[in-house]
Each structure stands twice: as structure tokens, then as C-alpha cells.
Amino acid sequence: MKLKYIPVYTADFEGQIDFYTQKLGFKITGTMTFYEGRESTVIQSDKLNVALLVTNNDSNSDKSNIIINTPDCLNDYHVLRTAGVFFCKSPAYLPAGLAAEFLDPAGNKFMLLEERNYNEQ
């Protein structure tokens, strides 16, 4: 088994698609219907082995928490900030490694995580 899709929800569909394609570099690859009456736009990045399903959510109550593993958190943090992504938490050391957090326009939370094993010598 492997993780293939992560749903992200929004009340502003066009703004969400613009954020992912213009700031994060995703490409639209198609559409799918996973829930009856709720068509999702499939977007993918060449750098990730998982697709995001952008889904209209008029109530704006559903939120996703997505962790993106990175080999260089500081570099990706600066690249995304330069592209206009606002980070709610600057890079900081956590028990799991170096992490920084940002929100997409709909409030879905993303964490860049450079995993580290602090017990290695």
C-alpha cells in the first residue's frame, strides 16, 4: 500500500487552485469524484509522490493537516517565502526534526519537516 491522495478543502476554489499552482508549483492533472456530488480537482507536484484533491466545501469546516517531508527545511522555507507563502511558524526544532508551518488560503495546515534523529552519534 502507499498513500496516493490527500483531500484539501476550500470555500474559495479558484483562490485555492491559484495558490497551489502559482505559489507551490503544482499542476492540475484531472478531476475525480470521491464523495457523491463533490467533484475534486487533482493536483500534483513533480517533487511529491502524492496528489492533492482540492474539494469545494461551502461550510469551510473541514480542514487538512499535511506534512511534507523535505531534506532541507530552511531552503524550502526561503523558496516558498520568496514565492509569497506566509508561514505561521518559522523553522524551529521539534522532537521529530526541523519544521516550519504555513496555511493555504482555506486554512489547511502544512508542515515542512526535515526529519532528524537526535539520538544518532
Side-chain angles (χ1 to χ4, degrees), residues 39-50:
E39 185 174 81
S40 300
T41 296
V42 181
I43 58 174
Q44 292 182 289
S45 167
D46 295 336
K47 298 177 184 178
L48 301 174
N49 291 328
V50 65

Side-chain angles (χ1 to χ4, degrees), residues 20-59:
Y20 287 115
T21 57
Q22 300 303 314
K23 296 191 182 205
L24 299 184
F26 280 77
K27 293 179 178 60
I28 296 171
T29 60
T31 60
M32 298 180 114
T33 301
F34 282 95
Y35 306 108
E36 190 171 330
R38 291 178 87 176
E39 185 174 81
S40 300
T41 296
V42 181
I43 58 174
Q44 292 182 289
S45 167
D46 295 336
K47 298 177 184 178
L48 301 174
N49 291 328
V50 65
L52 300 182
L53 300 174
V54 181
T55 305
N56 250 339
N57 177 19
D58 295 330
S59 70

Side-chain angles (χ1 to χ4, degrees), residues 6 11 19-20 33-34 40-41 66 70 84 101 115:
I6 299 173
F19 175 80
Y20 287 115
T33 301
F34 282 95
S40 300
T41 296
I66 300 166
T70 174
E101 293 181 7
E115 289 183 282

Side-chain angles (χ1 to χ4, degrees), residues 53-69:
L53 300 174
V54 181
T55 305
N56 250 339
N57 177 19
D58 295 330
S59 70
N60 207 21
S61 61
D62 294 328
K63 302 288 181 215
S64 297
N65 290 294
I66 300 166
I67 299 171
I68 300 173
N69 195 285

Side-chain angles (χ1 to χ4, degrees), residues 15-26 76 79-86 102-105:
Q16 194 79 342
I17 293 294
D18 185 56
F19 175 80
Y20 287 115
T21 57
Q22 300 303 314
K23 296 191 182 205
L24 299 184
F26 280 77
D76 289 338
V79 167
L80 292 174
R81 278 197 58 200
T82 301
V85 174
F86 173 76
F102 64 92
L103 301 175
D104 69 14

